[in-house]
Amino acid sequence: MSSRHQTAGSLGRRSFLGLGLAGASALTFLPRAVMAKTTSNDSRTLGFFNTHTNEILKATYWQNGAYDRAAIDDINYILRDHRSGEVYTMDKKLLDLLVALHRRVDSKKPFEVISGYRSPKSNATLASASNGVAKRSMHMDGKAIDIRLRDVKLADLRLDALAMKAGGVGFYPKSDFVHVDTGRVRHW
């Protein structure tokens, strides 16, 4: 793990905080700065809280017409397979979809990540334990994420994701998350 993942974040374009929060309810007290937002018309910023590692990230990954490789590396790291620690390059279209969704729902909170990238081994383990996990999940290609937002009702997040018609949308109210991906438009 690089030093930028261990520091308490700078006031620059991105910050990564490895905080041991006492639970997801602590997110209520996070500053408004830790969220997906537009810092200008020419940038894309995402905020994440990884529910398995308690890590927090705010990263401006696109600015002035170009991707920021270091910010994307930070995003890939927080969205890694929390079971194996394997880091994978997430689909930039997925990141753009998340920015658009966050803007659409006008959230002030970071995305709570239930599952980002999944290694084939992790996915196989989950698929064997549940018929709700696809054997050839888009999570394994870095093209899917399971999320929620603390200040948006889950059903509303689903409806807004569906209205975007930007990929697949799965609704898991019992598990408290919405799945979005950059595959073909479909829902379940």
Side-chain angles (χ1 to χ4, degrees):
M1 183 161 71
S2 73
S3 62
R4 75 173 165 264
H5 295 150
Q6 297 172 347
T7 62
S10 67
L11 297 176
R13 291 175 294 170
R14 66 187 176 278
S15 59
F16 190 93
L17 305 173
L19 299 176
L21 297 177
S25 63
L27 287 177
T28 304
F29 305 107
L30 287 177
R32 289 180 149 220
V34 183
M35 62 187 154
K37 68 174 185 173
T38 303
T39 54
S40 75
N41 288 336
D42 197 28
S43 68
R44 297 176 198 150
T45 301
L46 284 167
F48 295 107
F49 169 71
N50 186 311
T51 62
H52 298 284
T53 64
N54 289 334
E55 295 163 328
I56 296 169
L57 172 70
K58 178 188 173 197
T60 297
Y61 69 92
W62 191 86
Q63 190 166 294
N64 301 320
Y67 288 98
D68 180 325
R69 183 74 249 163
I72 289 176
D73 287 347
D74 288 344
I75 290 169
N76 292 337
Y77 183 80
I78 199 167
L79 299 181
R80 71 193 180 279
D81 183 332
H82 69 273
R83 293 163 193 86
S84 69
E86 187 177 336
V87 178
Y88 191 85
T89 301
M90 300 301 288
D91 183 9
K92 291 179 184 113
K93 290 179 186 175
L94 180 64
L95 303 182
D96 294 342
L97 184 155
L98 290 173
V99 167
L101 179 59
H102 201 273
R103 291 174 184 167
R104 183 180 178 100
V105 300
D106 195 31
S107 176
K108 305 298 181 232
K109 298 293 181 179
F111 283 105
E112 294 183 17
V113 179
I114 289 77
S115 185
Y117 169 69
R118 278 192 218 137
S119 69
K121 182 178 179 182
S122 289
N123 197 75
T125 300
L126 291 172
S128 69
S130 169
N131 56 359
V133 176
K135 291 184 187 206
R136 187 63 199 123
S137 171
M138 295 188 80
H139 287 275
M140 296 188 302
D141 298 322
K143 295 181 178 190
I145 190 167
D146 299 335
I147 53 167
R148 64 180 165 248
L149 288 164
R150 186 64 59 191
D151 59 348
V152 176
K153 290 180 184 175
L154 199 64
D156 292 342
L157 183 63
R158 172 187 175 258
L159 289 174
D160 278 296
L162 287 169
M164 291 173 59
K165 297 181 181 180
V169 179
F171 187 51
Y172 298 89
K174 288 182 183 175
S175 299
D176 194 27
F177 69 84
V178 171
H179 166 102
V180 294
D181 66 50
T182 56
R184 62 184 171 76
V185 176
R186 66 209 189 288
H187 64 87
W188 61 94

